[in-house]
Amino acid sequence: MRIILIILIPLLVLSCKKETVHLSTNTDEIFWLSNDSADMPVWVKGNTASRVIILFLHGGPGDGSYRYAGFQTDQFWSHFAFAYWDQRDAGAAAGNSNYSNLNLGQMIEDLEKLISVLKYRYGSDMEIFLMGHSFGGLLGSGYLVKGNNQNNIRGWIEVDGAHDYPESNTLERQMLIDTGTSEIAKGHYVSQWTPIVNYCIANPANISLNVDLLTDDYASQAEDYVDINHTGTAIDYFSVSSPISLGINLFYLYNSATGRQFLQSLEPMTYTDQLYKITIPSLLIWGQYDLTVHLGSGIHALNNLGSTYKHLVIMPQSGHVPMNGNTDLFAQTVISFIETVR
Amino acid sequence: MNQLLQALKTNYAIPVDDSVSGRLHLLYCKSMPYTHLKVLFCLFSLLLLFEVGLQAQDSLYKVRMPVFVRSSFYYDFPQSFGASAGVDFPVRTKVIVTTDKKGEPSLKFRDLIVAGDIGFYRYLYNNSGLYFFQSLGKRYHKNKPYYHEWLARVGLLRTFYDGIVYTVDANGDVKMLNNFGRYYLATGFAAVFGYDFERSKKPLPVAIDARSYIWIQYPYNSFVLPHLSFELSFKYHCDKFNIAIKKKQIEENLIK
């Protein structure tokens, strides 16, 4: 009995601890949002005293956000705070039987509630910037075009965002064919490019989920065959997020019937025709050699956004993850944007 | 013989071994001063000698076996640390006495054991878990201090998230959820390798062992979450917790 008490008492003391939220130049804390059977962690890191939080919407879907903490985002932490949110059923997010709620509409609702929590926790005067990468570009666009949501957001930063899946799939395939053909003609990575080009020629985009997923894999693989930077910054798998939960969430998403049903539901999703509704300051950042979500999507978004202040910045040595390809330029661009529009 | 054995039931302080052989030993000690009992003992022993010539002999009787209480340091991959406490007790034991071709006897023990564990772990910035496991398995050892075990386990896991948990109701009001987490079923397997000082040259009522676990929590995001865990355990044998269990002895004689 004594042993049981020795174990339980510290646990109870810890669990009863009340956390007081203070703004700080060196914030490092986590909180959770529980919504519709999913419990989603939000890791806040950096300078909350700046009264600016960049809320990061990770891609994938299913990638988890903590892995982006390793891409030298410490450059941001001294200026602003970063909020790394793991979306439902991704990264370290947990819950019991919640897959029936996995859909884009639910995720937009999760984001709406998360913004409410951020305002509640850090104060309603906290300026929130949304940064959506890849699938996060679709999620962020979906949030911003809905109702008055953009009133809660100071600025929109889309990084190689897939706000238009059919367009992304079409451009991705064409980019792989064009780049691959050109590289083969130069004699670069001929044996690697040949099957990619042949596959893309044989399989048009947007005809099946399997084709589009395999084309995504080829695009990711092909980044190794073009001359772009990979800073190789250590991915911070072990500090906050478990590689096991990250891996198992990804595995189930891409291999279960329900997960694939969700992925299938994303295939026709596009917000291009609604981008005019977004009027807040917007920054579009694209990797010049992004083979997954082509630069053309960025140019198209720039033309369609309703914002008065909107810029497209191209990262010259980057692929799909410019935080990795042009780390310093990426940080300077974002910091400069926020300082200008806040 | 039963009457004789019944007569030997005693309040004597140390009948640790309540088996037939243990009682015989006690009978021998008590009968030394009395000639007629000594004769009876010798006759009884002679009866036992008739069994020696058999190729294999099974017998079933009760013995008193040690119950161990255990405390452990716990590690769950990649960076959860915690502690646990538990109890291991045997429910049946089997001894295989093998006589090799040279006539040398050797002993192998197979103990069916049940274990109960309660423990916790903390994964900083992620979650803490409080768990209870019930295990069933086998312990293998010879007449040396080393032993190993295989266990199947089922249990219950309760998680508590690290940090404040918020929820937002239909009106848009934010609320904090105290001590929020989830219940999960858990099941898995354990492999144990240990050293029992009680069977060493200088016996001590303690044992140490290293445990590795593979287990899953279910349902985790409508699927399962696998775990890989390790424990370093210190076990203490409390004499007063000894229990009487069935012991089956199998004798194998390799001499043809």
Side-chain angles (χ1 to χ4, degrees):
Chain A
M1 190 60 180
R2 194 181 300 169
I3 294 172
I4 294 171
L5 287 175
I6 289 169
I7 293 170
L8 285 180
I9 288 171
L11 197 68
L12 292 172
V13 169
L14 282 173
S15 63
C16 293
K17 184 185 67 173
K18 286 287 180 192
E19 187 179 343
T20 308
V21 179
H22 297 291
L23 301 185
S24 156
T25 55
N26 191 23
T27 299
D28 184 5
E29 60 198 20
I30 195 159
F31 68 87
W32 294 71
L33 168 68
S34 182
N35 188 40
D36 284 341
S37 308
D39 310 322
M40 297 159 278
V42 183
W43 179 28
V44 179
K45 180 83 177 162
N47 185 357
T48 48
S50 67
R51 311 213 66 82
V52 170
I53 288 180
I54 303 170
L55 174 55
F56 186 73
L57 312 177
H58 66 75
D63 274 356
S65 66
Y66 295 165
R67 58 188 299 191
Y68 293 91
F71 291 124
Q72 295 188 13
T73 41
D74 55 341
Q75 293 188 53
F76 294 100
W77 297 343
S78 59
H79 292 79
F80 319 114
F82 240 81
Y84 301 95
W85 169 45
D86 275 353
Q87 297 151 17
R88 61 174 53 235
D89 302 313
N96 292 134
S97 299
N98 53 23
Y99 244 61
S100 56
N101 296 332
L102 183 60
N103 58 72
L104 186 61
Q106 178 68 63
M107 294 170 91
I108 290 171
E109 183 196 304
D110 292 341
L111 179 54
E112 289 171 333
K113 292 189 173 177
L114 177 55
I115 300 290
S116 299
V117 172
L118 282 169
K119 295 274 186 184
Y120 174 86
R121 183 178 166 93
Y122 294 104
S124 56
D125 59 339
M126 182 63 79
E127 294 182 306
I128 298 173
F129 288 76
L130 276 188
M131 178 186 284
H133 173 243
S134 194
F135 165 76
L138 181 77
L139 177 58
S141 299
Y143 168 83
L144 290 170
V145 301
K146 183 180 172 187
N148 298 319
N149 281 344
Q150 62 183 309
N151 293 344
N152 298 313
I153 305 298
R154 192 70 192 89
W156 167 230
I157 304 164
E158 186 175 21
V159 184
D160 298 73
H163 54 265
D164 188 329
Y165 261 52
E167 179 186 68
S168 294
N169 290 336
T170 304
L171 292 175
E172 175 185 47
R173 175 177 170 272
Q174 195 56 52
M175 175 83 166
L176 285 171
I177 292 172
D178 292 347
T179 310
T181 306
S182 166
E183 292 296 297
I184 289 168
K186 292 177 201 166
H188 295 164
Y189 295 100
V190 174
S191 60
Q192 286 89 351
W193 273 113
T194 303
I196 296 174
V197 171
N198 290 342
Y199 181 84
C200 291
I201 290 171
N203 295 280
N206 300 314
I207 55 165
S208 85
L209 176 63
N210 283 340
V211 168
D212 292 335
L213 289 178
L214 190 52
T215 309
D216 284 346
D217 288 345
Y218 277 135
S220 175
Q221 183 185 324
E223 287 205 357
D224 293 334
Y225 313 141
V226 291
D227 192 20
I228 60 171
N229 284 349
H230 290 287
T231 57
T233 308
I235 294 173
D236 205 357
Y237 277 132
F238 293 91
S239 65
V240 179
S241 182
S242 159
I244 295 183
S245 63
L246 177 68
I248 211 74
N249 280 326
L250 270 174
F251 173 84
Y252 194 60
L253 176 64
Y254 285 89
N255 293 283
S256 69
T258 324
R260 293 183 70 84
Q261 193 177 343
F262 166 61
L263 296 173
Q264 182 69 57
S265 73
L266 298 177
E267 285 294 285
M269 290 305 303
T270 173
Y271 287 108
T272 297
D273 58 349
Q274 298 185 64
L275 289 181
Y276 72 90
K277 295 180 183 172
I278 300 176
T279 55
I280 57 174
S282 299
L283 172 66
L284 306 170
I285 299 178
W286 242 263
Q288 184 172 358
Y289 300 104
D290 186 349
L291 302 170
T292 306
V293 183
H294 187 257
L295 176 59
S297 288
I299 295 168
H300 206 180
L302 183 70
N303 294 333
N304 285 278
L305 279 167
S307 312
T308 310
Y309 187 101
K310 55 183 177 180
H311 287 286
L312 170 64
V313 180
I314 298 169
M315 299 285 129
Q317 283 93 34
S318 292
H320 189 52
V321 188
M323 306 83 139
N324 191 18
N326 291 93
T327 306
D328 294 339
L329 178 60
F330 180 84
Q332 288 160 17
T333 305
V334 173
I335 291 167
S336 170
F337 168 71
I338 293 174
E339 294 291 5
T340 303
V341 305
R342 64 175 298 197
Chain B
M1 192 192 316
N2 282 340
Q3 277 186 329
L4 184 62
L5 291 172
Q6 198 62 36
L8 286 168
K9 280 196 170 175
T10 173
N11 293 325
Y12 192 64
I14 331 171
V16 173
D17 187 353
D18 205 19
S19 65
V20 173
S21 57
R23 290 183 192 179
L24 284 172
H25 178 69
L26 186 59
L27 168 62
Y28 178 79
C29 296
K30 293 181 80 172
S31 65
M32 285 305 103
Y34 308 103
T35 308
H36 65 285
L37 284 178
K38 197 184 294 180
V39 172
L40 278 174
F41 178 79
C42 290
L43 286 173
F44 185 62
S45 302
L46 199 60
L47 283 174
L48 295 178
L49 288 176
F50 288 121
E51 300 177 3
V52 175
L54 298 174
Q55 284 294 311
Q57 176 68 44
D58 292 4
S59 55
L60 192 64
Y61 46 88
K62 285 199 165 186
V63 290
R64 295 190 75 79
M65 290 283 285
V67 172
F68 284 98
V69 290
R70 172 165 42 83
S71 61
S72 308
F73 293 106
Y74 180 88
Y75 167 76
D76 187 62
F77 181 80
Q79 62 174 49
S80 305
F81 294 92
S84 73
V87 59
D88 298 352
F89 53 93
V91 291
R92 189 177 294 175
T93 185
K94 184 164 74 177
V95 183
I96 302 169
V97 184
T98 307
T99 306
D100 66 13
K101 291 177 181 175
K102 294 177 182 174
E104 294 288 328
S106 65
L107 298 175
K108 290 178 187 170
F109 298 87
R110 305 279 185 272
D111 303 335
L112 182 66
I113 54 172
V114 171
D117 292 85
I118 185 168
F120 74 95
Y121 61 81
R122 182 164 190 225
Y123 190 160
L124 190 65
Y125 281 22
N126 202 310
N127 72 83
S128 299
L130 181 64
Y131 60 82
F132 169 76
F133 273 106
Q134 192 72 49
S135 309
L136 178 69
K138 280 197 171 182
R139 177 183 297 146
Y140 300 83
H141 59 97
K142 297 181 178 177
N143 49 355
K144 289 181 179 176
Y146 300 102
Y147 64 92
H148 67 275
E149 299 170 359
W150 295 102
L151 299 161
R153 335 172 74 205
V154 291
L156 188 67
L157 171 70
R158 173 69 157 90
T159 61
F160 301 89
Y161 297 119
D162 214 16
I164 295 175
V165 182
Y166 297 92
T167 188
V168 183
D169 66 18
N171 299 322
D173 297 327
V174 178
K175 291 178 181 171
M176 285 189 281
L177 303 172
N178 292 326
N179 301 323
F180 188 75
R182 301 276 177 184
Y183 284 100
Y184 297 93
L185 292 174
T187 187
F189 295 95
V192 182
F193 183 78
Y195 187 94
D196 187 352
F197 288 91
E198 207 153 39
R199 292 199 299 270
S200 65
K201 288 178 183 173
K202 293 179 180 176
L204 292 169
V206 295
I208 54 170
D209 61 43
R211 296 164 176 259
S212 56
Y213 301 105
I214 292 176
W215 58 284
I216 55 169
Q217 67 181 76
Y218 174 85
Y220 173 82
N221 287 343
S222 300
F223 193 45
V224 298
L225 182 64
H227 289 258
L228 180 62
S229 313
F230 302 93
E231 272 186 5
L232 191 60
S233 299
F234 175 82
K235 295 161 66 166
Y236 183 73
H237 167 203
C238 296
D239 279 342
K240 61 182 179 182
F241 291 157
N242 282 358
I243 54 172
I245 61 167
K246 286 181 181 175
K247 176 179 179 180
K248 185 178 185 182
Q249 183 160 320
I250 299 172
E251 294 180 7
E252 297 172 349
N253 194 340
L254 302 179
I255 302 173
K256 292 184 178 175

